């Protein structure tokens, strides 16, 4: 079941009927799933954007009980999946993932896995309003891995919008890494922005955006398709 879901998600093949059948069977047999089965199933359903709250509830309970068996990849994939489907309000799961990540430590986590964990913990803090109970050094390293990731290449539409803003005399920064979050936004306009365009002094604007308390306007041109 888990391998089939993983394969279809990896290949990007949508099959609602198949995933519904896998959901039903997985909920019935969740107690027989290994840590890898749990991680693969969660990742596959999240990757395909399949809403299955009962299944994710079952995966959460089983993961809490078997957290010690999760590898770094399995832990990161599971955490990421729960962030994607918006189910990060389970205190015990948050505690279990935090404890397992702390037990593994930084050397065991790749940059990609750190980015996945950052997305999970950010969702926990901002959406579920729960404490992460993660060592500060590890939390900061996960956040830094996200910030260090190269932003997506600006699309033609994005470049056109930026050009329009410049002609209107609106100072802005393209592909800004939001301080403290690690996410890149397409266009950021600072609240105290003057009349110069982005090309006039883009580096200075970026420095100002990165150091100031951010309270400006963000324009997301391409939307969630960038992620």
């Amino acid at each position: 079941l888990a391998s089939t879901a993983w394969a279809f998600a990896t290949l990007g093949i949508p099959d609602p009927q198949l995933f519904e059948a896998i959901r039903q069977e997985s909920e019935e047999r969740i107690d027989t799933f290994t840590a890898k089965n749990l991680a693969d199933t969660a990742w596959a359903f999240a990757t395909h954007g399949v809403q299955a709250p009962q299944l994710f509830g079952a995966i959460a309970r089983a993961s809490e009980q078997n957290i010690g068996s999760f590898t770094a990849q399995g832990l990161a994939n599971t955490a990421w999946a729960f962030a994607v489907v918006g189910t990060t309000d389970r205190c015990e799961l948050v505690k279990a993932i935090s404890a397992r990540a702390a037990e593994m430590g930084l050397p065991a986590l790749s940059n990609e896995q750190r980015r996945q964990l950052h997305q999970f913990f950010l969702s926990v803090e901002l959406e579920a309003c729960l404490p992460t109970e993660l060592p500060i050094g590890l939390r900061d390293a996960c956040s830094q891995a996200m910030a260090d990731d190269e932003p997506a290449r600006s699309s033609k539409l994005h470049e056109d919008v930026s050009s329009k803003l410049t002609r209107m005399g609106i100072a802005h920064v393209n592909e800004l890494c939001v301080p403290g979050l690690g996410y890149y936004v397409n266009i950021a306009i600072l609240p105290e922005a003057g009349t110069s365009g982005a090309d006039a002094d883009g580096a200075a604007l970026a420095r100002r955006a990165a150091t100031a308390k951010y309270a400006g306007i963000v324009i997301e041109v391409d939307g969630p398709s960038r992620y």
Side-chain angles (χ1 to χ4, degrees):
L1 288 173
S3 296
T4 300
W6 177 89
F8 272 73
T10 299
L11 294 174
I13 302 174
D15 192 326
Q17 290 183 329
L18 174 63
F19 271 79
E20 174 58 20
I22 292 175
R23 180 194 67 78
Q24 294 179 15
E25 282 295 313
S26 295
E27 289 177 7
E28 291 290 328
R29 299 165 56 181
I30 201 73
D31 290 340
T32 68
F33 277 29
T34 64
K36 185 177 187 304
N37 295 153
L38 294 168
D40 287 350
T41 302
W43 181 87
F45 274 74
T47 298
H48 258 325
V50 179
Q51 293 297 318
Q54 288 186 327
L55 174 60
F56 272 86
I59 291 174
R61 289 188 294 272
S63 297
E64 293 160 13
Q65 296 169 3
N66 297 283
I67 198 68
S69 299
F70 276 79
T71 63
Q73 181 176 350
L75 187 73
N77 283 351
T78 302
W80 175 86
F82 274 85
V84 168
V85 300
T87 311
T88 54
D89 57 351
R90 296 184 59 93
C91 294
E92 294 306 315
L93 178 64
V94 173
K95 290 179 181 178
I97 290 177
S98 298
R100 182 59 175 157
E103 180 185 2
M104 289 178 173
L106 280 176
L109 299 167
S110 69
N111 282 336
E112 176 60 25
Q113 290 158 4
R114 295 177 191 182
R115 285 191 285 271
Q116 288 176 297
L117 288 171
H118 173 70
Q119 290 172 297
F120 172 74
F121 291 123
L122 201 61
S123 176
V124 168
E125 294 165 354
L126 298 182
E127 296 179 16
C129 299
L130 295 174
T132 59
E133 302 183 13
L134 198 68
I136 294 177
L138 180 56
R139 184 71 183 87
D140 289 345
C142 290
S143 177
Q144 190 60 50
M146 190 76 179
D148 290 342
D149 193 25
E150 289 294 325
R153 179 179 176 82
S154 297
S155 67
K156 180 63 168 60
L157 176 60
H158 176 180
E159 293 173 352
D160 289 344
V161 172
S162 177
S163 179
K164 287 282 189 182
L165 291 173
T166 299
R167 288 199 292 272
M168 293 169 64
I170 299 176
H172 58 283
V173 181
N174 288 310
E175 303 297 357
L176 173 72
C177 182
V178 181
L181 298 185
Y183 278 103
Y184 284 86
V185 293
N186 284 160
I187 297 172
I189 300 173
L190 298 180
E192 71 275 17
T195 57
S196 61
D199 296 332
D201 195 359
L205 284 173
R207 287 194 299 272
R208 195 167 73 197
T211 57
K213 284 189 176 180
Y214 195 71
I217 298 171
V218 166
I219 301 175
E220 210 31 66
V221 179
D222 298 300
S225 63
R226 296 178 71 238
Y227 304 108

